[in-house]
Amino acid sequence: MSVLNLDYLKTFALVAELGSFSAAAERLGLTQPAISLQVRALEKQLGVRLVERVGRTARPSAAGEELLAHVSRIEAATDQAIEAVARHARGVLGRVRIGTGATPCAFLLPPLLADLKRRFPDLDITVTTGNSADIVRAVDDNLLDIGLVTLPVAGRIFDVAPLFDERFVAIAPPGTELPESVTAQDLAAYPLIFYEPGANTRRITDEWLLSGGAEVRPLMSFGSVDAIKEMVAAGLGAALVPEIALRAGDRERLEVREVSPPFARRSALVLRRDKRLDRALRETLSALRTLANLDDVQRSKRQEQA
């Protein structure tokens, strides 16, 4: 069966409502023969009589009553579809799925996403947190649209755009005697609180400690940088954390030092090369790329604190 003509359905429904072909014709600004032709075409397509005349009144047949039960739902669904497409034409609308680590999610994304939602209220953004390897796999499987992850990322299918370096600092409980620039050997003198095994961040910090000749075993490990800072503030040990993870007031309750030699983790945007970039995704990527200015922001903050 061919697709039902929506205009013919509306004409039939109006005839049934008004009980008259001529009244429907007047309402629609058409001739009565044109109205009759539309209803007959619909009846021919469906193979049933939809309208019966009782005296001068046109009433729906039993089959017509069955069809009327669906007409309002068909019209509502059609109106919703038209409105949805119209919103796309008016501006950004759609869903964007972002995956990232807990630290960028907590310390970098909130103001950026708030600005996006202010500019594009119909933009639906979901954020998933996890380690970089899991995020990259989800992007590969098209379960996520964009990954903000720690390098390295392997795979020819990915478009990888480095954004910024997250410089690491050493933190220790308040009152701890630390040199102005902390080495791996200096840090090894204290119980250490690490990131959980398997994460790129744990690999990076392990490599820095080993390159400095310090073979240490963590006192405990966590997946949350906030949990690490709280344990350090409670006097349980020292740690290495990204500088961006220091909130206002952390430098008053923790000893914070630069490390020697300096090291950082590099973050990048990752998406599939074959990903279709609709406007929602383009606007989100554009906003995320502003994080490339993070190095300048961190440098300015360090100069102000100095």
Side-chain angles (χ1 to χ4, degrees):
M1 180 180 292
S2 58
V3 176
L4 293 175
N5 186 299
L6 296 178
D7 289 334
Y8 292 0
L9 278 176
K10 290 180 180 180
T11 297
F12 158 68
L14 189 59
V15 169
E17 177 189 347
L18 300 178
S20 167
F21 283 81
S22 58
E26 184 177 353
R27 178 77 62 86
L28 294 174
L30 299 174
T31 64
Q32 181 173 335
I35 296 296
S36 299
L37 185 62
Q38 290 185 13
V39 173
R40 284 200 301 272
L42 194 59
E43 289 176 330
K44 182 178 181 180
Q45 183 180 7
L46 295 173
V48 294
R49 181 172 291 279
L50 297 174
V51 178
E52 297 175 340
R53 291 187 180 276
V54 180
R56 293 189 173 184
T57 303
R59 297 189 181 280
S61 65
E65 291 285 1
E66 290 277 0
L67 182 59
L68 282 173
H70 296 278
V71 169
S72 61
R73 292 197 297 271
I74 293 171
E75 289 183 344
T78 302
D79 290 343
Q80 289 172 5
I82 292 172
E83 174 59 20
V85 174
R87 289 201 300 270
H88 274 286
R90 291 196 297 268
V92 174
L93 177 71
R95 181 183 63 171
V96 178
R97 303 162 298 175
I98 303 172
T100 189
T103 301
C105 183
F107 297 93
L108 297 179
L109 293 188
L112 184 149
L113 297 184
D115 180 65
L116 268 175
K117 289 295 291 181
R118 178 187 60 79
R119 292 187 290 126
F120 308 112
D122 290 329
L123 182 59
D124 179 16
I125 301 176
T126 61
V127 180
T128 301
T129 59
N131 64 48
S132 292
D134 291 338
I135 295 297
V136 170
R137 277 194 293 271
V139 172
D140 189 15
D141 293 337
N142 203 33
L143 299 175
L144 293 172
D145 301 307
I146 310 170
L148 176 57
V149 298
T150 302
L151 294 178
V153 173
R156 293 183 178 179
I157 195 170
F158 298 118
D159 184 4
V160 181
L163 279 183
F164 56 84
D165 291 333
E166 293 181 62
R167 198 176 76 115
F168 276 75
V169 294
I171 59 173
T176 303
E177 294 291 335
L178 289 174
E180 287 301 312
S181 186
V182 174
T183 66
Q185 292 288 346
D186 294 329
L187 209 59
Y190 303 93
L192 292 181
I193 301 171
F194 281 13
Y195 279 86
E196 62 186 356
N200 273 352
T201 301
R202 175 62 179 272
R203 175 186 57 78
I204 292 168
T205 53
D206 283 352
E207 288 175 354
W208 182 81
L209 289 164
L210 289 172
S211 67
E215 293 189 24
V216 296
R217 293 183 179 179
L219 173 68
M220 57 185 76
S221 58
F222 296 93
S224 163
V225 69
D226 280 327
I228 292 173
K229 290 190 299 180
E230 291 305 317
M231 295 300 170
V232 173
L236 294 176
L240 294 161
V241 297
E243 189 176 23
I244 64 166
L246 296 179
R247 298 183 188 274
D250 279 343
R251 291 182 184 271
E252 283 69 47
R253 68 191 189 108
L254 297 168
E255 298 294 335
V256 181
R257 299 289 189 276
E258 294 184 0
V259 294
S260 179
F263 74 101
R265 64 182 182 185
R266 173 156 287 191
S267 293
L269 289 177
V270 177
L271 67 158
R272 289 177 60 105
R273 291 184 183 275
D274 58 358
K275 190 71 178 178
R276 186 178 68 85
L277 300 182
D278 58 19
R279 191 178 175 195
L281 191 52
R282 291 198 307 272
E283 293 290 353
T284 304
L285 283 170
S286 178
L288 289 170
R289 289 186 183 114
T290 64
L291 293 174
N293 300 322
L294 182 64
D295 292 337
D296 295 334
V297 173
Q298 290 180 315
R299 191 178 302 110
S300 297
K301 287 184 177 180
R302 287 196 295 271
Q303 289 172 350
E304 291 173 2
Q305 293 162 355

